[in-house]
Amino acid sequence: MGLEVQMFPSGQKFLASQLPDLPGCVVLDVRLPGLSGLDLQQEMFARDIQYPIIFITGHGDIPMSVQAMKAGAVEFLTKPFRDQDLLDAITLAIRRDRGARKDRAELSDLRRHLTSLTPREREVMTLVVTGMLNKQIAFELGTSEKTIKVHRGQVMSKMQAGSLAELVHMADKLANEITSPAGVGPKS
């Protein structure tokens, strides 16, 4: 299949290794020496190791598979399984990891752009993405409409937003990191 594979004799060896910064996945047996596969899944989460996980086991049960899937496993295969089922799960997991890496890189770029904004520009951005007009923002912040236009232009430039819709989309992705100034927001 042309996949690069690394094998580890235990979960501890996996955790101690230098993992490549490439899209991939982890195929775990539920029963491993030392840490069980489920314990390793929890430890990976605690350490922010974000590879998708595929479980394989000859000793699985429904509660075990539910626990693994609730914790984010891509697949839980019970032995014997078809080789194609494992290959399909690996293909899906790598595709998901590739997408997640792209999303994390995009969010990192957005955070970098956001930190380039001045506190006033952040206030303006917060109000712009709510749909307020420049004159409404100016009134809300106690400044002139011309000043808001300048700040808005700086926000668009620094955030590298080509349109208001794009800026709103960026703000949605940064929702937990953009806080509305106290008492500022659209009027009812």
Side-chain angles (χ1 to χ4, degrees):
M1 293 295 301
L3 299 172
E4 185 178 322
V5 177
Q6 287 183 298
M7 294 179 61
F8 300 92
S10 68
Q12 293 88 337
K13 294 284 186 184
F14 170 79
L15 293 171
S17 71
Q18 181 66 32
L19 300 171
D21 188 19
L22 298 169
C25 68
V26 176
V27 178
L28 285 177
D29 199 322
V30 171
R31 288 191 176 175
L32 296 172
L35 285 175
S36 73
L38 294 171
D39 291 338
L40 180 56
Q41 181 185 34
Q42 290 175 353
E43 188 60 30
M44 287 173 62
F45 179 78
R47 294 183 186 202
D48 199 29
I49 299 172
Q50 299 184 18
Y51 285 106
I53 297 173
I54 299 164
F55 279 99
I56 58 173
T57 186
H59 308 284
D61 55 27
I62 292 173
M64 188 183 296
S65 65
V66 168
Q67 178 184 350
M69 298 302 280
K70 280 187 174 181
V74 172
E75 185 64 81
F76 194 95
L77 299 171
T78 54
K79 296 175 187 174
F81 52 82
R82 295 180 321 123
D83 291 346
Q84 190 61 49
D85 291 338
L86 179 58
L87 290 172
D88 290 346
I90 289 170
T91 300
L92 173 64
I94 292 172
R95 188 175 331 120
R96 283 188 187 173
D97 191 41
R98 189 172 285 118
R101 285 169 181 275
K102 181 181 174 208
D103 291 346
R104 287 191 300 268
E106 182 180 320
L107 186 57
S108 178
D109 285 346
L110 288 176
R111 286 179 178 140
R112 189 171 35 78
H113 297 317
L114 184 64
T115 60
S116 73
L117 299 179
T118 66
R120 181 57 117 188
E121 290 166 348
R122 282 179 83 136
E123 286 179 310
V124 170
M125 178 179 167
T126 300
L127 297 172
V128 164
V129 299
T130 66
M132 291 178 76
L133 302 173
N134 289 344
K135 65 182 176 182
Q136 294 170 314
I137 297 169
F139 176 77
E140 191 75 38
L141 298 179
T143 190
S144 72
E145 187 175 349
K146 184 176 181 178
T147 300
I148 295 305
K149 286 180 183 179
V150 170
H151 286 310
R152 186 177 182 148
Q154 286 296 103
V155 167
M156 297 297 284
S157 175
K158 288 180 179 181
M159 292 301 294
Q160 298 182 359
S163 66
L164 177 57
E166 192 176 346
L167 185 67
V168 169
H169 183 68
M170 291 173 179
D172 283 345
K173 289 185 176 192
L174 292 165
N176 296 333
E177 297 166 49
I178 297 176
T179 55
S180 184
V184 175
K187 301 280 187 206
S188 302

